[in-house]
């Protein structure tokens, strides 16, 4: 972070924004502006280099073929790895999450190398696709209330020893391994299967990223009554008997 300005990078919207994940960029932007930050958002298409001086990077979900192309281009570019070694924060969803891991199985059934920013590896699930509402208790160290989201993925993600589960599912499949974990994170890199888009449903995740970027423990409060009402409605709907 330099002075009062936040550099927000949305990675590859042309390939990885099938599921409304642009909402995450809008929420981070808005919540940063509400705290008086001057936000510079850059949307980086897959034919452009990834800037290495961003503060927060967002990478969304996508279908299998665009996911393969995005992983190839990101690996060739190398900018995201450099940004992380400069201290940047990365938040990724679904296909983006799988790409940040060590490897995933791509649309042509091959094991494809990921960026290795998270100690996870994704295989192709043999069973039904994981689709539906998710309720998950976030890692208590991150200090946020129960999350709500929507998942839609075939991949099953196994966590290695240096990846912490982002959350534990109360409802939904999460990483799909049957151990109740959802997503993964290390110090500054986060991955989740929750769409929604997840920050529109859980804006306190955006605040978590802002606190990390600003290196502060708290942010000035904002009026969250509308979000609280929506959240209560989502939880009530998700837990209603069918
Ligand atoms: N293609 C991946 C899977 O099905 C990711 C899907 C997504 O981003 N929603 O596992």
């Amino acid at each position: 972070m330099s002075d009062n300005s936040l550099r927000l990078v949305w990675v590859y919207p042309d390939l990885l924004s099938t599921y409304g994940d642009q909402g995450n960029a809008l929420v981070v932007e808005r919540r940063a502006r509400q705290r008086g930050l001057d936000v510079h958002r850059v949307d980086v298409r897959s034919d452009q280099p990834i800037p290495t001086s961003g503060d927060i990077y967002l990478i969304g979900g996508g279908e299998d073929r665009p996911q393969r192309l995005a992983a190839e281009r990101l690996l060739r570019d190398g900018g995201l790895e450099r940004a992380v070694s400069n201290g940047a924060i990365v938040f990724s969803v679904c296909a983006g999450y799988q790409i940040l891991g060590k490897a995933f199985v791509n649309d042509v059934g091959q094991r494809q190398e990921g960026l290795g920013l998270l100690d996870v590896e994704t295989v192709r699930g043999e069973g039904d696709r994981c689709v539906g509402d998710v309720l998950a208790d976030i890692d208590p160290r991150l200090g946020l209330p129960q999350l709500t989201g929507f998942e839609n993925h075939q991949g099953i993600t196994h966590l290695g020893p240096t990846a912490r589960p982002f959350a534990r599912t109360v409802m939904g499949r999460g990483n799909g391994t049957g151990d109740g974990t959802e997503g993964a994170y290390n110090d500054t890199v986060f991955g989740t299967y929750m769409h929604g888009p997840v920050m529109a449903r859980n804006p306190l995740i955006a605040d978590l990223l802002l606190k990390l970027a600003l290196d502060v423990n708290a942010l000035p409060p904002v009026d969250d009554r509308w979000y609280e009402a929506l959240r209560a409605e989502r939880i009530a709907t998700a837990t209603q008997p069918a």
Side-chain angles (χ1 to χ4, degrees):
M1 286 272 317
S2 58
D3 47 58
N4 215 29
S5 72
L6 178 88
R7 290 156 303 190
L8 175 63
V9 182
W10 184 23
V11 177
Y12 294 177
D14 54 328
L15 293 177
L16 297 175
S17 121
T18 320
Y19 301 90
D21 295 316
Q22 181 186 7
N24 294 332
L26 296 173
V27 173
V28 175
E29 254 187 286
R30 176 163 168 74
R31 298 196 61 100
R33 292 215 165 96
Q34 284 177 308
R35 272 57 177 257
L37 296 175
D38 188 10
V39 183
H40 298 275
R41 171 173 145 194
V42 190
D43 297 354
V44 183
R45 287 196 326 266
S46 60
D47 59 353
Q48 297 175 317
I50 301 282
T52 56
S53 58
D55 299 302
I56 298 179
Y57 292 73
L58 300 176
I59 171 164
E63 287 144 5
D64 294 355
R65 184 168 181 278
Q67 176 175 348
R68 168 164 55 86
L69 300 177
E72 283 167 6
R73 290 174 197 185
L74 281 170
L75 208 55
R76 209 164 42 226
D77 181 277
L80 198 56
E81 296 94 308
R82 283 201 293 283
V84 169
S85 56
N86 293 338
I89 290 132
V90 183
F91 188 87
S92 61
V93 176
C94 207
Y97 166 41
Q98 295 178 2
I99 290 172
L100 295 196
K102 291 180 166 167
F104 62 91
V105 174
N106 66 17
D107 59 322
V108 290
Q110 287 167 346
R111 183 178 181 276
Q112 180 169 342
E113 192 186 347
L115 302 193
L117 292 172
L118 281 171
D119 183 14
V120 304
E121 174 151 353
T122 301
V123 296
R124 210 172 164 73
E126 298 302 328
D128 292 343
R129 211 173 158 78
C130 304
V131 183
D133 276 303
V134 179
L135 291 181
D137 291 327
I138 195 162
D139 183 331
R141 281 172 286 201
L142 300 174
L144 302 186
Q146 191 174 69
L147 306 175
T148 84
F150 188 87
E151 62 184 341
N152 182 355
H153 57 104
Q154 189 66 41
I156 302 289
T157 301
H158 297 272
L159 274 56
T162 68
R164 296 187 202 125
F166 180 56
R168 302 253 164 206
T169 52
V170 175
M171 170 184 286
R173 308 268 296 275
N175 289 318
T177 46
D179 63 359
T181 62
E182 199 303 308
Y185 76 105
N186 56 32
D187 298 336
T188 59
V189 181
F190 296 81
T192 179
Y193 272 114
M194 286 187 277
H195 293 286
V198 69
M199 290 194 213
R201 292 171 65 149
N202 310 278
L204 298 183
I205 295 178
D207 288 4
L208 171 71
L209 305 187
L210 291 173
K211 282 189 272 185
L212 287 170
L214 295 166
D215 198 17
V216 295
N217 291 325
L219 294 171
V222 292
D223 181 357
D224 270 334
R225 277 174 298 182
W226 181 230
Y227 144 65
E228 290 293 353
L230 282 175
R231 182 168 173 277
E233 192 180 299
R234 287 311 315 158
I235 292 176
T237 311
T239 51
Q240 222 166 50

